[in-house]
């Protein structure tokens, strides 16, 4: 049976409508694909930038940590060097006449501030200076009740004088003198090392 012009017209109109719908659908799908691809590209760029920034931050942190660790290592080496120098200097000081004078002078100064009994404590190796110390005290007019005793807590030398009645302690050990002067000693050593070209 032949189609009537009305049927043909309806069919053609339907096909045109279907084609138009498919074109709109295809266009919308293509736009969604393009939008999705653009979003993925933006996300990828943003992620890459964030990762790059994080890597740079971590590298910078590691570099700063490395610099700090190298400085700490240099400071530990310098501290070890200073301790070695001080130990060597202390080992030889008993043979220097100035040490006996230092010992006598510090004992006399401390005893001069004490009105009653005083106890002088010395490193075991310094007990040999007992006579010189007592002679210095007599010469200074400080020959009151004074005892001299060995003290194993004194590592390097010098003396500790106890005011037994007043409860005061005069610490003139080499360790204490070094402690008071250690900052200035370190500054001087660092200055010398810098002059020699050692970088910090």
């Amino acid at each position: 049976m032949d189609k009537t012009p009305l049927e043909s017209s309806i069919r053609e109109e339907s096909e045109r409508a279907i084609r138009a719908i498919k074109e709109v659908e295809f266009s919308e799908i293509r736009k969604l694909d393009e939008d999705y691809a653009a979003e993925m590209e933006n996300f990828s760029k943003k992620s890459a930038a964030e990762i790059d920034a994080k890597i740079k931050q971590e590298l910078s942190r590691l570099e700063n940590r490395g610099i700090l660790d190298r400085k700490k290592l240099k400071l530990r080496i310098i501290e070890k060097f200073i301790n070695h120098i001080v130990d060597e200097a202390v080992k030889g000081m008993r043979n220097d006449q100035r040490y006996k004078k230092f010992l006598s002078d510090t004992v006399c100064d401390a005893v001069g501030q004490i009105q009653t009994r005083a106890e002088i404590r010395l490193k075991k190796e310094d007990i040999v200076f007992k006579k010189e110390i007592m002679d210095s005290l007599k010469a200074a007019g400080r020959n009151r009740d004074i005892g001299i005793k060995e003290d194993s807590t004194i590592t390097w030398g010098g003396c500790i004088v106890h005011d037994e009645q007043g409860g005061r302690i005069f610490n003139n050990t080499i360790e204490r003198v070094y402690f008071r002067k250690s900052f200035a000693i370190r500054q001087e050593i660092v200055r010398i090392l810098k002059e020699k070209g050692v970088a910090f």
Side-chain angles (χ1 to χ4, degrees), residues 37-175:
E39 280 181 32
M40 287 301 292
E41 179 72 20
N42 286 339
F43 177 76
S44 178
K45 284 179 182 175
K46 185 179 176 185
S47 295
E50 286 173 0
I51 290 168
D52 286 347
K54 186 73 174 167
I55 289 170
K56 284 179 185 173
Q57 181 183 4
E58 287 301 310
L59 286 174
S60 176
R61 190 178 66 78
L62 288 172
E63 185 179 345
N64 289 339
R65 178 70 186 265
I67 290 168
L68 186 62
D69 285 346
R70 282 193 299 276
K71 284 185 178 182
K72 284 181 183 177
L73 179 62
K74 281 183 182 179
L75 290 174
R76 279 195 292 269
I77 290 168
I78 289 170
E79 187 67 26
K80 192 173 178 181
F81 174 68
I82 290 169
N83 290 340
H84 176 72
I85 289 172
V86 171
D87 283 339
E88 289 300 311
V90 167
K91 284 178 190 172
M93 85 182 156
R94 266 179 203 80
N95 301 324
D96 190 321
Q97 289 298 318
R98 291 176 296 177
Y99 178 67
K100 283 191 246 181
K101 180 168 175 20
F102 161 77
L103 207 51
S104 294
D105 289 350
T106 54
V107 167
C108 284
D109 288 346
V111 170
Q113 298 179 53
I114 299 171
Q115 302 304 317
T116 57
R117 176 167 169 71
E119 182 179 83
I120 301 162
R121 295 195 180 178
L122 303 173
K123 180 176 172 64
K124 180 180 179 179
E125 291 82 352
D126 291 344
I127 294 292
V128 297
F129 303 127
K130 181 177 180 176
K131 182 180 178 340
E132 286 94 336
I133 291 169
M134 293 306 279
D135 289 346
S136 294
L137 288 167
K138 279 183 187 173
R142 297 182 176 114
N143 54 358
R144 292 183 303 277
D145 190 10
I146 296 168
I148 295 181
K149 187 176 175 184
E150 178 187 323
D151 188 334
S152 62
T153 65
I154 301 173
T155 308
W156 289 341
C159 65
I160 297 174
V161 178
H162 286 264
D163 175 355
E164 293 190 351
Q165 187 176 356
R168 294 179 297 168
I169 296 173
F170 299 87
N171 186 341
N172 289 305
T173 59
I174 300 299
E175 295 96 306

Side-chain angles (χ1 to χ4, degrees), residues 1-8 11:
M1 186 179 228
D2 285 339
K3 295 177 185 163
T4 63
L6 179 61
E7 287 177 329
S8 293
R11 182 180 293 276

Side-chain angles (χ1 to χ4, degrees), residues 169-183:
I169 296 173
F170 299 87
N171 186 341
N172 289 305
T173 59
I174 300 299
E175 295 96 306
R176 184 67 183 155
V177 172
Y178 172 71
F179 176 76
R180 287 192 297 259
K181 300 288 184 182
S182 62
F183 182 71

